[in-house]
Amino acid sequence: MTDNTFWYQKQLRILQTVLREPDIVDYDAQSVVAYLESIHSNCIIVNGGGIVDFFRHNLVTANPNPFMQGEDILKDLTDACHAKGIKVVVRVDFRGVDKRIYELRPDWFSINAQGEPLIRDNPLHSAIFQPCYQSKYRNEHAYAFIDYLFQNYDIDGVWENSYNQWGICYCKSCSDRYRSEIGKELPRGGDFFDPHYDEYRVWKAACVEEHLRDCRAVVKKYGEDKAFAAEIFGLYHDQFKGSSHDLYAIREHFDFLVTPLFTADHEPLNGPSTLIKFLKSLSPDKTPVMLFGHLGTNNNLRYISSPKQETRLWMWEAISAGGSFWNVIFNGAHPGSTYDRRNAMLSADIYDYMERHEDVLTIQNTDPEVTVLYSRASNAALGNHDRSKDAYMTHLIGLEQVLTDRRIQYRLLTDDRLNLETLAQTRVLILANAACLSDRETETIRSYVKAGGKL
């Protein structure tokens, strides 16, 4: 990449400080920046608001952190970070609110088939009411919220956490729009994963993409150097059937691609390199980022640390494929202000290595001599999160293990880039039980083989 590209198109060494509400007390931005420098991080993700706000604003849905006094940590942190050349991205989350805010505008919230509000239970917090993904809360209100952040703080970007929503909403807004655009009533009954919800899934995916397009436009009003990002759950965590989260569609709306992958989730040891290869094929011109940590992703595992050696192998695997990182090693403002300091410096020498070799690592690509096809249609038809029932990803994982054991380098090619041009440098194309291929794909493979390629 050239020197005139935006910061988010280059190597990213991100640290996310997962702030709990009391962590705002005596928040010391200078100490946070000192920690960022000590681990060679060039970007921080910090809480902004949504469910609980870490800054004060005048929107009707304001829910300020009850521990806030007169401090303004967003201003203090952006000033301190920018003085050291570190970027600041603010986390916003519009997936739920307290009952008090729900009661202000119940028409903005999701309801189930029985007409009851959808509630997310939280054993450590009051119940959270879920806004409809098409409501004013998650759209017009969210955009006003983001506007306020950019107008009042010198931030470098926004990360929208959990922009997608599982299942189906039966609120009046969804019912009216579905009837108007599809000419039918919302489907009901049975299991949500049954085929009779497929038409709804496709319609919902278009609504999700509409939101992302609009949200990106809000961010970009403040400059092309301002980043918009969100988590992409894909490859190992395909969520299209549950949330209409279509990887191939939504990739266009983000400035860099970030996907979570944790050792505690028991994915294969070569998972990080596979993930980065997948993201590179999905969008070759965008920085691929692995969101990782030594803790688990659910509340049962959140405070159980993975072995240090596994987490470091996880990181080197991602670097080997040209990946960048989003580090969620600990909860709190910085290690000096929290009890749990396990592995706080775990990534320091690896981030240092990345910083020293940034020019080479940024342009790194996998040797294309051996290419493994990722078949989206096959995963949709044959995939299952239960590996004992899965008939696609398990085959892909097993194939990769064979190649790794044989020390054979390979690249992963997403099926949208399967053409004779991308196969020109490939000596061997491998299909890992890619049973669902289109006529165009099979003809491309036949032409490749006729021209001397191996299958």
Side-chain angles (χ1 to χ4, degrees), residues 1 11 280 319 322 353-365:
M1 297 182 181
Q11 182 196 91
K280 276 179 171 283
I319 290 176
Y353 174 88
M354 293 174 67
E355 184 177 24
R356 286 186 286 110
H357 301 288
E358 181 174 6
D359 291 344
V360 175
L361 295 175
T362 299
I363 61 172
Q364 185 173 234
N365 281 302

Side-chain angles (χ1 to χ4, degrees), residues 247-262:
L247 294 172
Y248 287 65
I250 64 178
R251 60 184 164 181
E252 300 300 327
H253 305 293
F254 304 133
D255 288 306
F256 55 90
L257 303 185
V258 53
T259 297
L261 200 66
F262 287 75

Side-chain angles (χ1 to χ4, degrees), residues 27 29-30 32-33 44 46 72-90 149 152-157 226:
Y27 188 91
Q30 295 297 334
V32 174
V33 172
I44 185 172
V46 66
D72 190 341
I73 70 166
L74 290 188
K75 183 180 187 307
D76 293 344
L77 186 64
T78 50
D79 288 348
C81 282
H82 288 170
K84 299 293 186 178
I86 298 170
K87 302 298 182 181
V88 178
V89 173
V90 171
L149 280 167
N152 290 274
Y153 297 97
D154 187 24
I155 61 176
D156 299 290
K226 304 301 183 182

